[in-house]
Amino acid sequence: MANKVVHLPVLDFGATLRKDNWWIGPAITFVILMGFICYATFRAFENDYYRVGPYLSPFYSPLIPTAGWGIPFLSPAMLILPGPAGFRLTCYYYRKAYYRAFAMDPPACAVGEGGRHDNYNGETKLLIFQNLHRFALYVALGFLVILWHDVYKALWFRDPYGTEASFGVGVGTLVLALNTALLTGYTFSCHSLRHLIGGSVDSYSTAPFGQLRHALWRGVSRLNQNHMFFAWTSLFAVALADLYVRMVSLRVIQDVRIL
Amino acid sequence: MAAHPGSNGSKAKAAKLRVFRGTAAGGDFQNYEVETYPGMVVLDAIHDIQAKQSPDLAVRWNCKAGRCGSCSAEVNGKPRLMCMTRMSAYPEGEPITVTPMRAFPIIKDLVTDVSWNFEMAKKIPPFKPRPRDADGNWRMQQIDIDRIQEFRKCIECFLCQNVCHVVRDHQKKEVFSGPRFLIHLATLDMHPLDTLDRREMVKRDFGVGFCNITKCCTEVCPEHITITDNGIIPLKERIADDHYDPVRWLLRKVAGKPRAHKVPAQPTEAGKTADISGRHRVDGGNGKGELER
C-alpha cells in the first residue's frame, strides 16, 4: 500500500475529479449557438437575397413590407426573428444547453462553479421570464402555419414571363419542406405543448375528453423524448434553408428542378 | 488472493484506487492497490481495502444490489452507486478516485450526513386521498398513474441531490428541496386520488424556480428516472398555470374561480400535516402513513 497524500481539490471554477472531456459538449454548444446568432444577425441586417423564384427564406417569412416605414436598417427579419428566438430562448431543452455553455451555471455535471454565483436565483428573479415559454409556443405555432404555406407556394413555379404557375418540385422545395418538418417536430415535441394538451390533467379517466387528452399527451411525450434532436436539427435546417435561398438568389448555386 | 467465485482462473490484475480519507475537519487521499476479478465493482474494491488494508475505512452500504441507495459516492468525479459501478469500466493501470458525495457534510471517509434530505421529506404534506367509493374501495385506471409509476422507482440514493448544482455549489438548502423531492411533489400533485394542493408550497417553500433545468439529476439517476423532463418541468408548467399565465388569470377572474384546484395544504410540525378539516396524518416512516380518524 502506497501512502502518497494529496489534498481534496476545492470546488474552484472548473475544478472536478472527472477524467472525461466534460468541456467539449459546452464548447461545441457555444460555438454552434454563437455561429447561428452571428449568421442570423448578419442576415437580418443584410435585408436582401431572401427571395428567389417560389422560394422565400424562413428568416423573412412572412414577408412584411418594411421598406416604406422610414426606419433605417429595419428589415422584415428583424420583426420576425424575435418570435422564434423567444421560443428557443425559453425552451426547456435549450436552457440546459446555454446555461452550461454560456453562463456555465453549471459548466457540466459535478464540475465546480467556484464562488462566482453567490447571488444565484435560478429562474425566480432575473430569469423569471422563462416561465412564459407557453406564450412563445403560441407564436411558434403561428409561424408553422406560415412556413407550411411557404412550402406549398414553393411547389408552384412561374414561367419566364411570370404569367402562369405550374406544379413542380425543386431542391429548394425539399430544403424548405425539410426545414418546416423539423421545425414542426421541434414545436410539437415542446414540453409546454405536452402540458397544455394533457399534462395538466391528474385523472384522465374522469376528466372531460380525458381519453383523448391522454392519447394526445402520450403522442407528444413520444416526440418529446426527441426534443433535443429536433432542437438541433431544426436549428441547422433553418440556417441551411436561408443559406440555400441566399446562394440561389446570388446565383452562386443553381436550383435544380426534380419534377 | 483466494479464488473468487467469478474468477476464470486467469492471473489476477491489480487496480489502483485513490480513496478520500478524513472527516469534516479535513482529509486526504490515500492510495491503495487491490487485486481485481471479473465482475468486481467499486464497492468490492472498497470492501477489499477495508478487509485487508484499512479496517477503519468508513463506507455505508447495505444491499449491494443497487436497490437501497446507501453506497452513493463519487467515482472519478461522477456521482455513482459504488455497488453498480464495475471496475472494468475504467482503464487499466489508471487510478480510480473514490470520494464521498460533495453536497453533504462528511462524517468519515466515504460516509456523508444526508439527514438534510430526511428533514426536507418531512416538510412535504403526505398523500391525502379522496373518500373511498361506496363499496369501500379507491379506484383509478392505469392511464391515470402511467406518469407517476416511473417516479416510484426512486431508491433515495440522493445522487440527484448531490449533483444538483443548486444544492452542491450554491448551497440553497434552505429554499430549495432538490430534485428528489420535486419528484416526490410531482408524484403527489399528479396522483388521481390525492386531494391536497401543494402547488403554492412547491413554488414558495420547495423552490422549484431555482431549478434551471440543466438535467444533471437525470444524468446520474441509477434508476434512469427522467427526473427533469417528466417530473420537474411538468411541475414548473403547473406553477406557470397558477402564476405566470395572464390568460388563465383573466379566465379565473371572469369565472370567479379560485386558483387552487384542490384543498390547500397547511404544513404543521415535521411529519404531520393538517388539512382544512383539521385531521392529521401521521407518517410512520414507511411513506404509507395512515389517516388518523
Side-chain angles (χ1 to χ4, degrees):
Chain A
M1 180 179 85
N3 275 312
K4 186 184 175 190
V5 170
V6 289
H7 289 284
L8 193 70
V10 291
L11 284 171
D12 288 333
F13 175 70
T16 183
L17 291 171
R18 285 178 60 167
K19 293 183 176 178
D20 57 332
N21 294 320
W22 57 266
W23 51 272
I24 287 180
I28 292 172
T29 303
F30 181 85
V31 169
I32 292 173
L33 289 180
M34 278 305 291
F36 183 84
I37 290 167
C38 290
Y39 177 74
T41 306
F42 160 70
R43 284 292 283 146
F45 277 95
E46 191 177 29
N47 199 13
D48 205 353
Y49 312 120
Y50 49 76
R51 191 173 201 178
V52 59
Y55 307 139
L56 176 63
S57 160
F59 285 0
Y60 282 80
S61 180
L63 196 53
I64 303 165
T66 56
W69 293 17
I71 304 171
F73 306 114
L74 183 68
S75 71
M78 289 179 193
L79 300 176
I80 293 157
L81 287 176
F87 186 52
R88 290 189 190 261
L89 185 68
T90 57
C91 167
Y92 286 107
Y93 167 69
Y94 277 114
R95 294 186 206 182
K96 170 192 165 183
Y98 60 66
Y99 281 137
R100 290 190 189 188
F102 286 81
M104 298 189 182
D105 198 2
C109 303
V111 174
E113 293 180 26
R116 299 181 315 125
H117 300 294
D118 291 340
N119 297 319
Y120 175 85
N121 291 303
E123 295 174 349
T124 62
K125 289 186 177 172
L126 180 66
L127 300 174
I128 203 163
F129 68 90
Q130 300 278 36
N131 292 291
L132 301 175
H133 184 50
R134 64 183 57 181
F135 296 99
L137 167 69
Y138 299 146
V139 175
L141 287 168
F143 274 103
L144 277 187
V145 175
I146 294 165
L147 289 172
W148 277 116
H149 186 243
D150 287 346
V151 173
Y152 172 76
K153 287 199 291 187
L155 290 167
W156 299 95
F157 291 78
R158 292 199 172 274
D159 62 24
Y161 305 105
T163 51
E164 284 195 25
S166 60
F167 179 81
V169 175
V171 172
T173 313
L174 299 180
V175 168
L176 292 183
L178 176 68
N179 169 50
T180 309
L182 290 169
L183 285 171
T184 303
Y186 174 53
T187 309
F188 277 78
S189 61
C190 168
H191 292 84
S192 280
L193 183 69
R194 186 187 188 212
H195 173 78
L196 291 168
I197 65 163
S200 60
V201 177
D202 286 347
S203 178
Y204 294 108
S205 60
T206 55
F209 308 106
Q211 300 283 345
L212 174 66
R213 296 191 78 183
H214 181 260
L216 290 170
W217 173 82
R218 202 168 55 180
V220 174
S221 294
R222 286 197 185 125
L223 283 174
N224 182 257
Q225 291 171 1
N226 299 305
H227 197 45
M228 181 178 81
F229 168 80
F230 286 122
W232 285 120
T233 52
S234 64
L235 189 81
F236 284 114
V238 75
L240 178 70
D242 175 79
L243 186 65
Y244 185 84
V245 172
R246 185 174 186 275
M247 292 292 104
V248 174
S249 178
L250 283 167
R251 297 177 189 276
V252 175
I253 57 173
Q254 191 170 5
D255 183 52
V256 177
R257 281 284 290 276
I258 299 167
L259 288 175
Chain B
M1 177 188 172
H4 188 274
S7 171
N8 60 6
S10 60
K11 190 180 176 184
K13 292 173 182 172
K16 296 174 184 170
L17 283 98
R18 297 169 69 227
V19 182
F20 179 77
R21 303 295 311 275
T23 64
D28 304 312
F29 280 112
Q30 193 93 34
N31 291 348
Y32 299 95
E33 275 193 17
V34 295
E35 288 182 4
T36 61
Y37 51 81
M40 188 183 202
V41 295
V42 172
L43 185 60
D44 289 325
I46 295 295
H47 282 163
D48 192 283
I49 293 167
Q50 206 179 37
K52 298 173 185 169
Q53 302 177 52
S54 293
D56 61 339
L57 172 63
V59 58
R60 184 185 282 140
W61 69 286
N62 191 15
C63 75
K64 201 175 172 289
R67 305 310 309 158
C68 74
S70 57
C71 66
S72 298
E74 298 187 12
V75 183
N76 277 359
K78 287 189 173 178
R80 312 288 302 247
L81 291 179
M82 285 190 285
C83 71
M84 300 304 286
T85 306
R86 295 225 179 210
M87 295 288 284
S88 57
Y90 299 95
E92 272 182 43
E94 290 184 20
I96 298 168
T97 307
V98 187
T99 51
M101 290 193 285
R102 279 188 183 274
F104 306 113
I106 294 173
I107 296 174
K108 186 173 186 291
D109 302 336
L110 300 177
V111 180
T112 51
D113 177 3
V114 294
S115 58
W116 169 72
N117 296 289
F118 301 118
E119 294 304 316
M120 191 56 70
K122 288 180 189 174
K123 292 180 183 173
I124 297 176
F127 178 58
K128 183 179 183 302
R130 62 166 166 74
R132 294 170 193 265
D133 296 337
D135 61 0
N137 292 315
W138 278 298
R139 283 189 177 77
M140 52 188 172
Q141 293 188 15
Q142 183 62 40
I143 59 169
D144 297 328
I145 54 166
D146 276 346
R147 285 177 295 180
I148 57 177
Q149 274 190 313
E150 178 192 12
F151 306 150
R152 299 303 292 258
K153 291 192 295 179
C154 177
I155 58 173
E156 295 211 315
C157 62
F158 301 131
L159 289 176
C160 59
Q161 301 285 85
N162 174 54
V163 81
C164 174
H165 74 123
V166 186
V167 176
R168 183 186 179 100
D169 292 283
H170 302 300
Q171 288 288 318
K172 294 281 184 186
K173 289 178 178 168
E174 293 298 315
V175 290
F176 181 62
S177 65
R180 191 285 169 265
F181 298 106
L182 290 176
I183 280 294
H184 187 47
L185 287 158
T187 309
L188 292 164
D189 202 52
M190 294 178 188
H191 200 290
L193 298 182
D194 187 64
T195 56
L196 281 187
D197 187 354
R198 301 169 186 78
R199 293 190 192 189
E200 201 58 35
M201 298 179 76
V202 170
K203 179 176 182 288
R204 186 191 61 224
D205 302 327
F206 298 108
V208 72
F210 284 94
C211 170
N212 65 346
I213 318 288
T214 44
K215 300 195 181 183
C216 288
C217 50
T218 304
E219 286 185 22
V220 303
C221 179
E223 285 294 314
H224 308 292
I225 301 170
T226 318
I227 298 173
T228 323
D229 292 87
N230 291 351
I232 297 177
I233 292 174
L235 216 48
K236 275 184 170 253
E237 283 294 308
R238 287 168 179 237
I239 300 302
D241 283 346
D242 292 345
H243 292 274
Y244 305 107
D245 191 330
V247 176
R248 284 177 188 254
W249 173 83
L250 192 65
L251 288 174
R252 280 194 296 268
K253 284 286 180 193
V254 171
K257 287 184 179 176
R259 186 166 60 200
H261 71 302
K262 293 177 176 177
V263 180
Q266 296 177 353
T268 55
E269 60 191 280
K272 282 188 175 182
T273 299
D275 63 30
I276 56 171
S277 67
R279 290 194 308 173
H280 285 79
R281 201 190 101 150
V282 180
D283 197 328
N286 61 359
K288 298 172 184 173
E290 291 291 316
L291 282 170
E292 287 183 345
R293 297 181 187 277

